[in-house]
C-alpha cells in the first residue's frame, strides 16, 4: 500500500509556525487530473464483465449485469431527465440503488440521495423548495405531488435484504416552483441540517469525487475483487464514497442485512461471512465494535471510521488498520485522516482527526479570519480539490465559501466549517467541538433549529427549544422543550414525536419531550438551553421510580438502561425505545447484558418487549436455557 501525504504531515512545505497544512506540495503543479468517475467504472465493465459488482447475501450481480440494469434506468429516463436535473432517490442499500446511481451518472443528472423512508413532510418540503422534477423510489412512499404526476416503472431487482418491492421514477405534477439549477459538473447533491429550519443542499462535483477516490484507492490499496461494505445510510454522503470506491476499482459492493446496523456481533459476523476487506462505519457503531473482543476477521484490512468525535482506540489484538476520518459534506466526505496504531503514546486523549488528505488544504483561523499559530485553537477552514461546488443557494454559498486567508496558497476558496480545532506542531489536527449550536447525534450533523421548526409545525405548539445531553459513553441525546399554545389542548409527547418524524431524519428526532411552563433566558435574552436541561435533569432525579425492580436481573437491566439513557427515574414498567433508546444504545445494552449474564440477545427481540421487566424476563429465560444446555 502506498503512503499518502497525510501519513507524513511533517513533509509538507508549509510554514512550521502557522496552522496551515497541505495534503500535497502546493508548489508542485498538478498534471494528473482526477480520472472521470463514470469512465473508471466503465473500464471495469469492459475489462471484467463477469466479475461480481454487487453481492447481497446469496444474490450477486456481475459488472455486466449491473451495467445492463443501469441502462434500464438511463433509457427509461432519457428525454425526461436532462443533464443537471436533480433526481431524488428514495431507495435503501441494494442492487437497485447502485443501478440508479450509475444510470443517473450516465444521463448527467444529479444524484440526490434522500433515504428509503424520509419523513413525508420533510420530503415534500425539500422537493418543493428545490423544485426536484423527479423522484425514484417505492411508489407508495412518494409524496402526493409525485403520485399525481406521470410515473415510469423501472424494471430493477426486487430481491435483497433492503430492496423495494417496486421502483418507479415519478415526475412532479405542475407547480409554480422553478427547479434549482445545479452548478456545472455537479455529480451528486446531499442534504445537511440547516440553521434556518430547513436542510441545505450541497452540490459536489465529479472532479472533487474523483480526487477523493484517487486518495482512497491509494490509501487502502484497493484492488479488483476487494469487498467494500455498503452500510452507511443512504441519506448521508459517506455512502457515495462506499458505492463509487468499489465500482471504480473493480471491487465488490457487499450489502448487509438490516440488523448489522445496531448489533456489533451481527456486524462482525457479516464481515466474516461476506469477506469484507474495506469497511466504513459511523463512529458510534465503530466504538461499540471496538469495545468488544476482536473476532477473527482475516479478510478485513481497513476499517474507516467517521461522522463523530472518536473516543476509543483499537486494542492491540485488532488486526485491521483503523483510521479516524473527518470531513463535512461541503468538502466531499473526507478531508483529514489519521491511522490509529495500537500503541499510540497519547492513549488518554481522544484520537486526532489527522492531517489533510491528498489535494486538501486546511488552516486554523481566529475570529477575524487570520491564521493562528500552531497549538492555538480556532476555526477550521478547508480548501483544495476536495471542496464541493457550493450550496444550491448562491447567498449561502457566498457566506460559507470565502477567499483563503493571507498566507494560504494552493486554493482559490476555503469553506468555513464552524468546527473548533487545534493544529499540533506536526500538522495533525485535534477536534475540539463546534463554534455554534450544531450537534452530532449518532454521527449525524444536526441543527437544533431544524428540530425546533419540526415541533413548531404542530398547531398546539407555540415555541420549542432543543438541547443535547450526554448519556453513558458520551452518546448524545436530544431533549425537546415545548411551550403549548395558551388555551389550546396540550399535545402529548408521543403525538409531538410522531409529528416530528414526518419532518426529520431518524437521528434528529428527540428522545424526550418536556413541557417546562416557561423558557429561562440568558444574559443576551436568548433561551438558556443549559438551564432548561439542568432543571429537567433535577426533576428527573427527584421523580419516583415508576416501578421498582423485584429481581436481581430486573435491577441489572434497570441500572444499565438508566446509565445508557441518562434517565435516573426510569422504572421497570417503562419501554426502552419510548424512553429514548436508539440503535446505538440498544447495541450497548446488548453488550452490557452479555458481559454480566453471559448470554447474547438480538436487538429486534429486545425492542419488541413492552417494558424493562419483560426484557429482564427474557434474559432470565435465555440464561436458564443456556444453563440447561450446558448440563
Amino acid at each position: 500500500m502506498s503512503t499518502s501525504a497525510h501519513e507524513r504531515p511533517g513533509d509538507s512545505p508549509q510554514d512550521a509556525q502557522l496552522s496551515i497544512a497541505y495534503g500535497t506540495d502546493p508548489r508542485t503543479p498538478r498534471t494528473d487530473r482526477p480520472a472521470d468517475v463514470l469512465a473508471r467504472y466503465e473500464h471495469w465493465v469492459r475489462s471484467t464483465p463477469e466479475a461480481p459488482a454487487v453481492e447481497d447475501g446469496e444474490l450477486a450481480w456481475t459488472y455486466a449485469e449491473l451495467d445492463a440494469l443501469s441502462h434500464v434506468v438511463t433509457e427509461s429516463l432519457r428525454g425526461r431527465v436532462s443533464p443537471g436535473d436533480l433526481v431524488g432517490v428514495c431507495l435503501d442499500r441494494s442492487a437497485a440503488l447502485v443501478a440508479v446511481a450509475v444510470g443517473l451518472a450516465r444521463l448527467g443528472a444529479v444524484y440526490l440521495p434522500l433515504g428509503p423512508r424520509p419523513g413525508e413532510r420533510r420530503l415534500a418540503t425539500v422537493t418543493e423548495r428545490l423544485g426536484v422534477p423527479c423522484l425514484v423510489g417505492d411508489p407508495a412512499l412518494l409524496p402526493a405531488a409525485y403520485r399525481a404526476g406521470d410515473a415510469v416503472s423501472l424494471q430493477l431487482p426486487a430481491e435483497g435484504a433492503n430492496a423495494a418491492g417496486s421502483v418507479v421514477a415519478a415526475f412532479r405534477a405542475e407547480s409554480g416552483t422553478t427547479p434549482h439549477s445545479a452548478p456545472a459538473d455537479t455529480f451528486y447533491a446531499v442534504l445537511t441540517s440547516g440553521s434556518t429550519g430547513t436542510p441545505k443542499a450541497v452540490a459536489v462535483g465529479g472532479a472533487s469525487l474523483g480526487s477523493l477516490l484517487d486518495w482512497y484507492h491509494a490509501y487502502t490499496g484497493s484492488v479488483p475483487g476487494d469487498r467494500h461494505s455498503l452500510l452507511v445510510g443512504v441519506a448521508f454522503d459517506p455512502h457515495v464514497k462506499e458505492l463509487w470506491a468499489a465500482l471504480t476499482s473493480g471491487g465488490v459492493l457487499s450489502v448487509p442485512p438490516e440488523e448489522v446496523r445496531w448489533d456489533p456481533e451481527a456486524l462482525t459476523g457479516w464481515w466474516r461471512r461476506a469477506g469484507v476487506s474495506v469497511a466504513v462505519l459511523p463512529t458510534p457503531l465503530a466504538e461499540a465494535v471496538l469495545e468488544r473482543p476482536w473476532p477473527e476477521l482475516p479478510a478485513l484490512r481497513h476499517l474507516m471510521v467517521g461522522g463523530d468525535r472518536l473516543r476509543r482506540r483499537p486494542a492491540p489484538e485488532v488486526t485491521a488498520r483503523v483510521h479516524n476520518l473527518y470531513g463535512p459534506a461541503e468538502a466531499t466526505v473526507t478531508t483529514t485522516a489519521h491511522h490509529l496504531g495500537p500503541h499510540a503514546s497519547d492513549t488518554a486523549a481522544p484520537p486526532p482527526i489527522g492531517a489533510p488528505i491528498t489535494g486538501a488544504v486546511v488552516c486554523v483561523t481566529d475570529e477575524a479570519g487570520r491564521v493562528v499559530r500552531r497549538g492555538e485553537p480556532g476555526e477550521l477552514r478547508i480548501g483544495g480539490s476536495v471542496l464541493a461546488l457550493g450550496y444550491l443557494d448562491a447567498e449561502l454559498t457566498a457566506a460559507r465559501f470565502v477567499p483563503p486567508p493571507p498566507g494560504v496558497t494552493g486554493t482559490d476558496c476555503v469553506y468555513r466549517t464552524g468546527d473548533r480545532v487545534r493544529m499540533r506542531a506536526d500538522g495533525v489536527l485535534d477536534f475540539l467541538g463546534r463554534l455554534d449550536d450544531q450537534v452530532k447525534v449518532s454521527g449525524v450533523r444536526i441543527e437544533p433549529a431544524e428540530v425546533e421548526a419540526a415541533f413548531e409545525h404542530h398547531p398546539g405548539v407555540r415555541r420549542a427549544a432543543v438541547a443535547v445531553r450526554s448519556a453513558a459513553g458520551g452518546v448524545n441525546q436530544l431533549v425537546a422543550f415545548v411551550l403549548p399554545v395558551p388555551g389550546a389542548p396540550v399535545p402529548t409527547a408521543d403525538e409531538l414525536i410522531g409529528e416530528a418524524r414526518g419532518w426529520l431524519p431518524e437521528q434528529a428526532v428527540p428522545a424526550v419531550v418536556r413541557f417546562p411552563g416557561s423558557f429561562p433566558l440568558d444574559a443576551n435574552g436568548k433561551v438558556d438551553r443549559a438551564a432548561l436541561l439542568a432543571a429537567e435533569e433535577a426533576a428527573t432525579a427527584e421523580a419516583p421510580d415508576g416501578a421498582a425492580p423485584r429481581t436481581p436481573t430486573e435491577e441489572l437491566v434497570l441500572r444499565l438502561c438508566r446509565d445508557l439513557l441518562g434517565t435516573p427515574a426510569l422504572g421497570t414498567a417503562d419501554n426502552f425505545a419510548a424512553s429514548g433508546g436508539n440503535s446505538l444504545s440498544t447495541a450497548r445494552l446488548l453488550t452490557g447484558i452479555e458481559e454480566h449474564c453471559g448470554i447474547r440477545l438480538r436487538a429486534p427481540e429486545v425492542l419488541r418487549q413492552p417494558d424493562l421487566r419483560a426484557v429482564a424476563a427474557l434474559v432470565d429465560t435465555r440464561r436458564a436455557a443456556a444453563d440447561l444446555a450446558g448440563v
Side-chain angles (χ1 to χ4, degrees), residues 205-224:
S208 297
L209 179 58
S211 181
L212 170 71
L213 296 174
D214 282 343
W215 165 79
Y216 194 73
H217 292 148
Y219 186 60
T220 61
S222 296
V223 296

mmCIF file with all atom_site columns, all heavy atoms in Angstrom, residues 205-224:
data_model
loop_
_atom_site.group_PDB
_atom_site.id
_atom_site.type_symbol
_atom_site.label_atom_id
_atom_site.label_alt_id
_atom_site.label_comp_id
_atom_site.label_asym_id
_atom_site.label_entity_id
_atom_site.label_seq_id
_atom_site.pdbx_PDB_ins_code
_atom_site.Cartn_x
_atom_site.Cartn_y
_atom_site.Cartn_z
_atom_site.occupancy
_atom_site.B_iso_or_equiv
_atom_site.pdbx_formal_charge
_atom_site.auth_seq_id
_atom_site.auth_comp_id
_atom_site.auth_asym_id
_atom_site.auth_atom_id
_atom_site.pdbx_PDB_model_num
ATOM 1   N N   . GLY A 1 205 ? -18.937 18.207 -7.110  1.00 0.00 ? 205 GLY A N   1
ATOM 2   C CA  . GLY A 1 205 ? -18.548 17.993 -8.495  1.00 0.00 ? 205 GLY A CA  1
ATOM 3   C C   . GLY A 1 205 ? -17.897 16.648 -8.731  1.00 0.00 ? 205 GLY A C   1
ATOM 4   O O   . GLY A 1 205 ? -17.336 16.025 -7.819  1.00 0.00 ? 205 GLY A O   1
ATOM 5   N N   . GLY A 1 206 ? -17.932 16.218 -9.987  1.00 0.00 ? 206 GLY A N   1
ATOM 6   C CA  . GLY A 1 206 ? -17.294 14.962 -10.353 1.00 0.00 ? 206 GLY A CA  1
ATOM 7   C C   . GLY A 1 206 ? -15.794 15.000 -10.131 1.00 0.00 ? 206 GLY A C   1
ATOM 8   O O   . GLY A 1 206 ? -15.181 13.995 -9.758  1.00 0.00 ? 206 GLY A O   1
ATOM 9   N N   . ALA A 1 207 ? -15.162 16.174 -10.349 1.00 0.00 ? 207 ALA A N   1
ATOM 10  C CA  . ALA A 1 207 ? -13.716 16.274 -10.144 1.00 0.00 ? 207 ALA A CA  1
ATOM 11  C C   . ALA A 1 207 ? -13.356 16.090 -8.676  1.00 0.00 ? 207 ALA A C   1
ATOM 12  O O   . ALA A 1 207 ? -12.350 15.447 -8.346  1.00 0.00 ? 207 ALA A O   1
ATOM 13  C CB  . ALA A 1 207 ? -13.209 17.621 -10.659 1.00 0.00 ? 207 ALA A CB  1
ATOM 14  N N   . SER A 1 208 ? -14.164 16.662 -7.765  1.00 0.00 ? 208 SER A N   1
ATOM 15  C CA  . SER A 1 208 ? -13.889 16.513 -6.333  1.00 0.00 ? 208 SER A CA  1
ATOM 16  C C   . SER A 1 208 ? -14.054 15.060 -5.896  1.00 0.00 ? 208 SER A C   1
ATOM 17  O O   . SER A 1 208 ? -13.244 14.538 -5.126  1.00 0.00 ? 208 SER A O   1
ATOM 18  C CB  . SER A 1 208 ? -14.828 17.408 -5.520  1.00 0.00 ? 208 SER A CB  1
ATOM 19  O OG  . SER A 1 208 ? -14.605 18.763 -5.811  1.00 0.00 ? 208 SER A OG  1
ATOM 20  N N   . LEU A 1 209 ? -15.120 14.400 -6.378  1.00 0.00 ? 209 LEU A N   1
ATOM 21  C CA  . LEU A 1 209 ? -15.304 12.993 -6.039  1.00 0.00 ? 209 LEU A CA  1
ATOM 22  C C   . LEU A 1 209 ? -14.170 12.162 -6.614  1.00 0.00 ? 209 LEU A C   1
ATOM 23  O O   . LEU A 1 209 ? -13.646 11.251 -5.955  1.00 0.00 ? 209 LEU A O   1
ATOM 24  C CB  . LEU A 1 209 ? -16.653 12.496 -6.565  1.00 0.00 ? 209 LEU A CB  1
ATOM 25  C CG  . LEU A 1 209 ? -16.981 11.028 -6.296  1.00 0.00 ? 209 LEU A CG  1
ATOM 26  C CD1 . LEU A 1 209 ? -16.964 10.711 -4.811  1.00 0.00 ? 209 LEU A CD1 1
ATOM 27  C CD2 . LEU A 1 209 ? -18.330 10.650 -6.908  1.00 0.00 ? 209 LEU A CD2 1
ATOM 28  N N   . GLY A 1 210 ? -13.745 12.467 -7.856  1.00 0.00 ? 210 GLY A N   1
ATOM 29  C CA  . GLY A 1 210 ? -12.622 11.745 -8.446  1.00 0.00 ? 210 GLY A CA  1
ATOM 30  C C   . GLY A 1 210 ? -11.348 11.913 -7.644  1.00 0.00 ? 210 GLY A C   1
ATOM 31  O O   . GLY A 1 210 ? -10.569 10.964 -7.469  1.00 0.00 ? 210 GLY A O   1
ATOM 32  N N   . SER A 1 211 ? -11.108 13.127 -7.132  1.00 0.00 ? 211 SER A N   1
ATOM 33  C CA  . SER A 1 211 ? -9.925  13.378 -6.314  1.00 0.00 ? 211 SER A CA  1
ATOM 34  C C   . SER A 1 211 ? -9.977  12.566 -5.022  1.00 0.00 ? 211 SER A C   1
ATOM 35  O O   . SER A 1 211 ? -8.976  11.982 -4.588  1.00 0.00 ? 211 SER A O   1
ATOM 36  C CB  . SER A 1 211 ? -9.827  14.874 -5.998  1.00 0.00 ? 211 SER A CB  1
ATOM 37  O OG  . SER A 1 211 ? -8.689  15.172 -5.234  1.00 0.00 ? 211 SER A OG  1
ATOM 38  N N   . LEU A 1 212 ? -11.156 12.523 -4.386  1.00 0.00 ? 212 LEU A N   1
ATOM 39  C CA  . LEU A 1 212 ? -11.320 11.715 -3.180  1.00 0.00 ? 212 LEU A CA  1
ATOM 40  C C   . LEU A 1 212 ? -11.035 10.244 -3.465  1.00 0.00 ? 212 LEU A C   1
ATOM 41  O O   . LEU A 1 212 ? -10.340 9.567  -2.699  1.00 0.00 ? 212 LEU A O   1
ATOM 42  C CB  . LEU A 1 212 ? -12.738 11.875 -2.630  1.00 0.00 ? 212 LEU A CB  1
ATOM 43  C CG  . LEU A 1 212 ? -13.127 10.906 -1.508  1.00 0.00 ? 212 LEU A CG  1
ATOM 44  C CD1 . LEU A 1 212 ? -12.389 11.242 -0.225  1.00 0.00 ? 212 LEU A CD1 1
ATOM 45  C CD2 . LEU A 1 212 ? -14.634 10.911 -1.272  1.00 0.00 ? 212 LEU A CD2 1
ATOM 46  N N   . LEU A 1 213 ? -11.573 9.740  -4.575  1.00 0.00 ? 213 LEU A N   1
ATOM 47  C CA  . LEU A 1 213 ? -11.386 8.323  -4.904  1.00 0.00 ? 213 LEU A CA  1
ATOM 48  C C   . LEU A 1 213 ? -9.920  8.015  -5.214  1.00 0.00 ? 213 LEU A C   1
ATOM 49  O O   . LEU A 1 213 ? -9.430  6.931  -4.867  1.00 0.00 ? 213 LEU A O   1
ATOM 50  C CB  . LEU A 1 213 ? -12.280 7.931  -6.077  1.00 0.00 ? 213 LEU A CB  1
ATOM 51  C CG  . LEU A 1 213 ? -13.793 8.035  -5.805  1.00 0.00 ? 213 LEU A CG  1
ATOM 52  C CD1 . LEU A 1 213 ? -14.576 7.762  -7.076  1.00 0.00 ? 213 LEU A CD1 1
ATOM 53  C CD2 . LEU A 1 213 ? -14.219 7.088  -4.689  1.00 0.00 ? 213 LEU A CD2 1
ATOM 54  N N   . ASP A 1 214 ? -9.212  8.952  -5.859  1.00 0.00 ? 214 ASP A N   1
ATOM 55  C CA  . ASP A 1 214 ? -7.779  8.757  -6.089  1.00 0.00 ? 214 ASP A CA  1
ATOM 56  C C   . ASP A 1 214 ? -7.060  8.517  -4.766  1.00 0.00 ? 214 ASP A C   1
ATOM 57  O O   . ASP A 1 214 ? -6.257  7.587  -4.624  1.00 0.00 ? 214 ASP A O   1
ATOM 58  C CB  . ASP A 1 214 ? -7.170  9.996  -6.770  1.00 0.00 ? 214 ASP A CB  1
ATOM 59  C CG  . ASP A 1 214 ? -7.472  10.048 -8.248  1.00 0.00 ? 214 ASP A CG  1
ATOM 60  O OD1 . ASP A 1 214 ? -7.854  9.014  -8.829  1.00 0.00 ? 214 ASP A OD1 1
ATOM 61  O OD2 . ASP A 1 214 ? -7.317  11.140 -8.843  1.00 0.00 ? 214 ASP A OD2 1
ATOM 62  N N   . TRP A 1 215 ? -7.337  9.402  -3.803  1.00 0.00 ? 215 TRP A N   1
ATOM 63  C CA  . TRP A 1 215 ? -6.694  9.248  -2.480  1.00 0.00 ? 215 TRP A CA  1
ATOM 64  C C   . TRP A 1 215 ? -7.121  7.936  -1.824  1.00 0.00 ? 215 TRP A C   1
ATOM 65  O O   . TRP A 1 215 ? -6.288  7.196  -1.296  1.00 0.00 ? 215 TRP A O   1
ATOM 66  C CB  . TRP A 1 215 ? -7.070  10.424 -1.574  1.00 0.00 ? 215 TRP A CB  1
ATOM 67  C CG  . TRP A 1 215 ? -6.748  10.130 -0.138  1.00 0.00 ? 215 TRP A CG  1
ATOM 68  C CD1 . TRP A 1 215 ? -5.524  10.201 0.465   1.00 0.00 ? 215 TRP A CD1 1
ATOM 69  C CD2 . TRP A 1 215 ? -7.659  9.654  0.863   1.00 0.00 ? 215 TRP A CD2 1
ATOM 70  N NE1 . TRP A 1 215 ? -5.617  9.813  1.778   1.00 0.00 ? 215 TRP A NE1 1
ATOM 71  C CE2 . TRP A 1 215 ? -6.911  9.468  2.046   1.00 0.00 ? 215 TRP A CE2 1
ATOM 72  C CE3 . TRP A 1 215 ? -9.031  9.367  0.870   1.00 0.00 ? 215 TRP A CE3 1
ATOM 73  C CZ2 . TRP A 1 215 ? -7.500  9.010  3.232   1.00 0.00 ? 215 TRP A CZ2 1
ATOM 74  C CZ3 . TRP A 1 215 ? -9.602  8.910  2.049   1.00 0.00 ? 215 TRP A CZ3 1
ATOM 75  C CH2 . TRP A 1 215 ? -8.848  8.738  3.211   1.00 0.00 ? 215 TRP A CH2 1
ATOM 76  N N   . TYR A 1 216 ? -8.413  7.652  -1.849  1.00 0.00 ? 216 TYR A N   1
ATOM 77  C CA  . TYR A 1 216 ? -8.955  6.494  -1.135  1.00 0.00 ? 216 TYR A CA  1
ATOM 78  C C   . TYR A 1 216 ? -8.365  5.198  -1.670  1.00 0.00 ? 216 TYR A C   1
ATOM 79  O O   . TYR A 1 216 ? -7.993  4.304  -0.906  1.00 0.00 ? 216 TYR A O   1
ATOM 80  C CB  . TYR A 1 216 ? -10.472 6.496  -1.287  1.00 0.00 ? 216 TYR A CB  1
ATOM 81  C CG  . TYR A 1 216 ? -11.214 5.561  -0.356  1.00 0.00 ? 216 TYR A CG  1
ATOM 82  C CD1 . TYR A 1 216 ? -11.335 5.858  0.995   1.00 0.00 ? 216 TYR A CD1 1
ATOM 83  C CD2 . TYR A 1 216 ? -11.823 4.405  -0.840  1.00 0.00 ? 216 TYR A CD2 1
ATOM 84  C CE1 . TYR A 1 216 ? -12.048 5.025  1.845   1.00 0.00 ? 216 TYR A CE1 1
ATOM 85  C CE2 . TYR A 1 216 ? -12.535 3.564  0.003   1.00 0.00 ? 216 TYR A CE2 1
ATOM 86  C CZ  . TYR A 1 216 ? -12.639 3.877  1.345   1.00 0.00 ? 216 TYR A CZ  1
ATOM 87  O OH  . TYR A 1 216 ? -13.337 3.042  2.181   1.00 0.00 ? 216 TYR A OH  1
ATOM 88  N N   . HIS A 1 217 ? -8.254  5.080  -2.983  1.00 0.00 ? 217 HIS A N   1
ATOM 89  C CA  . HIS A 1 217 ? -7.704  3.861  -3.571  1.00 0.00 ? 217 HIS A CA  1
ATOM 90  C C   . HIS A 1 217 ? -6.238  3.689  -3.193  1.00 0.00 ? 217 HIS A C   1
ATOM 91  O O   . HIS A 1 217 ? -5.792  2.580  -2.869  1.00 0.00 ? 217 HIS A O   1
ATOM 92  C CB  . HIS A 1 217 ? -7.849  3.883  -5.089  1.00 0.00 ? 217 HIS A CB  1
ATOM 93  C CG  . HIS A 1 217 ? -9.267  3.798  -5.546  1.00 0.00 ? 217 HIS A CG  1
ATOM 94  N ND1 . HIS A 1 217 ? -9.714  4.409  -6.701  1.00 0.00 ? 217 HIS A ND1 1
ATOM 95  C CD2 . HIS A 1 217 ? -10.357 3.193  -5.017  1.00 0.00 ? 217 HIS A CD2 1
ATOM 96  C CE1 . HIS A 1 217 ? -11.009 4.172  -6.854  1.00 0.00 ? 217 HIS A CE1 1
ATOM 97  N NE2 . HIS A 1 217 ? -11.421 3.433  -5.841  1.00 0.00 ? 217 HIS A NE2 1
ATOM 98  N N   . ALA A 1 218 ? -5.470  4.795  -3.210  1.00 0.00 ? 218 ALA A N   1
ATOM 99  C CA  . ALA A 1 218 ? -4.061  4.700  -2.830  1.00 0.00 ? 218 ALA A CA  1
ATOM 100 C C   . ALA A 1 218 ? -3.919  4.382  -1.349  1.00 0.00 ? 218 ALA A C   1
ATOM 101 O O   . ALA A 1 218 ? -3.068  3.582  -0.948  1.00 0.00 ? 218 ALA A O   1
ATOM 102 C CB  . ALA A 1 218 ? -3.351  6.014  -3.171  1.00 0.00 ? 218 ALA A CB  1
ATOM 103 N N   . TYR A 1 219 ? -4.762  4.981  -0.541  1.00 0.00 ? 219 TYR A N   1
ATOM 104 C CA  . TYR A 1 219 ? -4.658  4.829  0.910   1.00 0.00 ? 219 TYR A CA  1
ATOM 105 C C   . TYR A 1 219 ? -5.005  3.413  1.356   1.00 0.00 ? 219 TYR A C   1
ATOM 106 O O   . TYR A 1 219 ? -4.364  2.856  2.245   1.00 0.00 ? 219 TYR A O   1
ATOM 107 C CB  . TYR A 1 219 ? -5.603  5.838  1.566   1.00 0.00 ? 219 TYR A CB  1
ATOM 108 C CG  . TYR A 1 219 ? -5.503  5.895  3.069   1.00 0.00 ? 219 TYR A CG  1
ATOM 109 C CD1 . TYR A 1 219 ? -4.318  6.231  3.693   1.00 0.00 ? 219 TYR A CD1 1
ATOM 110 C CD2 . TYR A 1 219 ? -6.615  5.648  3.867   1.00 0.00 ? 219 TYR A CD2 1
ATOM 111 C CE1 . TYR A 1 219 ? -4.226  6.308  5.070   1.00 0.00 ? 219 TYR A CE1 1
ATOM 112 C CE2 . TYR A 1 219 ? -6.540  5.717  5.235   1.00 0.00 ? 219 TYR A CE2 1
ATOM 113 C CZ  . TYR A 1 219 ? -5.343  6.052  5.839   1.00 0.00 ? 219 TYR A CZ  1
ATOM 114 O OH  . TYR A 1 219 ? -5.260  6.121  7.200   1.00 0.00 ? 219 TYR A OH  1
ATOM 115 N N   . THR A 1 220 ? -6.027  2.829  0.753   1.00 0.00 ? 220 THR A N   1
ATOM 116 C CA  . THR A 1 220 ? -6.454  1.485  1.155   1.00 0.00 ? 220 THR A CA  1
ATOM 117 C C   . THR A 1 220 ? -5.793  0.392  0.317   1.00 0.00 ? 220 THR A C   1
ATOM 118 O O   . THR A 1 220 ? -5.948  -0.789 0.626   1.00 0.00 ? 220 THR A O   1
ATOM 119 C CB  . THR A 1 220 ? -7.982  1.339  1.024   1.00 0.00 ? 220 THR A CB  1
ATOM 120 O OG1 . THR A 1 220 ? -8.361  1.542  -0.344  1.00 0.00 ? 220 THR A OG1 1
ATOM 121 C CG2 . THR A 1 220 ? -8.700  2.346  1.914   1.00 0.00 ? 220 THR A CG2 1
ATOM 122 N N   . GLY A 1 221 ? -5.088  0.791  -0.744  1.00 0.00 ? 221 GLY A N   1
ATOM 123 C CA  . GLY A 1 221 ? -4.509  -0.220 -1.625  1.00 0.00 ? 221 GLY A CA  1
ATOM 124 C C   . GLY A 1 221 ? -5.577  -1.054 -2.290  1.00 0.00 ? 221 GLY A C   1
ATOM 125 O O   . GLY A 1 221 ? -5.415  -2.268 -2.482  1.00 0.00 ? 221 GLY A O   1
ATOM 126 N N   . SER A 1 222 ? -6.684  -0.422 -2.693  1.00 0.00 ? 222 SER A N   1
ATOM 127 C CA  . SER A 1 222 ? -7.812  -1.150 -3.288  1.00 0.00 ? 222 SER A CA  1
ATOM 128 C C   . SER A 1 222 ? -7.389  -1.877 -4.557  1.00 0.00 ? 222 SER A C   1
ATOM 129 O O   . SER A 1 222 ? -6.689  -1.318 -5.407  1.00 0.00 ? 222 SER A O   1
ATOM 130 C CB  . SER A 1 222 ? -8.951  -0.185 -3.629  1.00 0.00 ? 222 SER A CB  1
ATOM 131 O OG  . SER A 1 222 ? -9.468  0.413  -2.458  1.00 0.00 ? 222 SER A OG  1
ATOM 132 N N   . VAL A 1 223 ? -7.835  -3.112 -4.683  1.00 0.00 ? 223 VAL A N   1
ATOM 133 C CA  . VAL A 1 223 ? -7.538  -3.923 -5.862  1.00 0.00 ? 223 VAL A CA  1
ATOM 134 C C   . VAL A 1 223 ? -8.834  -4.557 -6.349  1.00 0.00 ? 223 VAL A C   1
ATOM 135 O O   . VAL A 1 223 ? -9.811  -4.670 -5.592  1.00 0.00 ? 223 VAL A O   1
ATOM 136 C CB  . VAL A 1 223 ? -6.504  -5.030 -5.543  1.00 0.00 ? 223 VAL A CB  1
ATOM 137 C CG1 . VAL A 1 223 ? -5.162  -4.416 -5.163  1.00 0.00 ? 223 VAL A CG1 1
ATOM 138 C CG2 . VAL A 1 223 ? -7.017  -5.947 -4.428  1.00 0.00 ? 223 VAL A CG2 1
ATOM 139 N N   . PRO A 1 224 ? -8.880  -4.965 -7.617  1.00 0.00 ? 224 PRO A N   1
ATOM 140 C CA  . PRO A 1 224 ? -10.076 -5.662 -8.118  1.00 0.00 ? 224 PRO A CA  1
ATOM 141 C C   . PRO A 1 224 ? -10.404 -6.872 -7.246  1.00 0.00 ? 224 PRO A C   1
ATOM 142 O O   . PRO A 1 224 ? -9.511  -7.622 -6.842  1.00 0.00 ? 224 PRO A O   1
ATOM 143 C CB  . PRO A 1 224 ? -9.669  -6.081 -9.531  1.00 0.00 ? 224 PRO A CB  1
ATOM 144 C CG  . PRO A 1 224 ? -8.620  -5.097 -9.933  1.00 0.00 ? 224 PRO A CG  1
ATOM 145 C CD  . PRO A 1 224 ? -7.872  -4.776 -8.671  1.00 0.00 ? 224 PRO A CD  1
#
